[in-house]
Amino acid sequence: VQLQASGGGLVQAGDSLRLPCAASGRTFGNYVVGWFRQAPGKEREFVAHIRGSENTYYADSVKGRFTISKDNAKNTVYLQMNSLKPEDTAVYCCAADLTISTVRSGTARYWGQGTLVTVSS
């Protein structure tokens, strides 16, 4: 599975942004797809994952503000980010594997390149 993340940019605090993660080579199908982020000088952290179309899980730091969803027709997983804060500034990347544990632990086999999100105050 090849993953392509995009949609990053410079926004102001309180704005929204949607990041797509498109898959090629294989459909997402039974894969668990997750989003991670890495802020400057910090370790990579888990943001959210989705299995199927409705089984989702979020980090506490984004719960209620971010929504992960999947469009099977487009073979794309989206991360809708609302009420963005300066502390959301990071490089965001997506990952996929067959189990929740491997995705949540950051050991997924398939990773996309990152897309930079910068939130100004």
Side-chain angles (χ1 to χ4, degrees):
V1 179
Q2 290 81 46
L3 304 177
Q4 177 81 28
S6 60
L10 173 63
V11 298
Q12 293 187 334
D15 284 351
S16 297
L17 205 60
R18 188 178 75 159
L19 305 182
C21 172
S24 60
R26 189 172 296 181
T27 62
F28 275 133
N30 295 325
Y31 282 87
V32 179
V33 182
W35 280 96
F36 292 79
R37 66 185 182 184
Q38 187 165 18
K42 295 187 177 181
E43 294 187 354
R44 184 176 62 195
E45 67 170 337
F46 167 81
V47 175
H49 74 64
I50 186 167
R51 181 173 67 179
S53 296
E54 298 181 355
N55 187 339
T56 59
Y57 184 84
Y58 300 90
D60 288 342
S61 57
V62 306
K63 198 173 297 182
R65 299 188 298 122
F66 290 12
T67 302
I68 189 170
S69 62
K70 182 189 290 184
D71 185 331
N72 289 319
K74 295 183 178 180
N75 210 26
T76 299
V77 168
Y78 298 97
L79 184 68
Q80 176 67 44
M81 306 185 294
N82 298 330
S83 302
L84 283 162
K85 305 175 181 179
E87 50 263 43
D88 294 319
T89 294
V91 174
Y92 287 73
C93 61
C94 54
D97 211 321
L98 292 173
T99 67
I100 289 177
S101 61
T102 52
V103 172
R104 287 269 304 274
S105 66
T107 58
R109 286 176 290 171
Y110 308 106
W111 290 83
Q113 88 295 344
T115 185
L116 176 63
V117 174
T118 304
V119 185
S120 63
S121 58

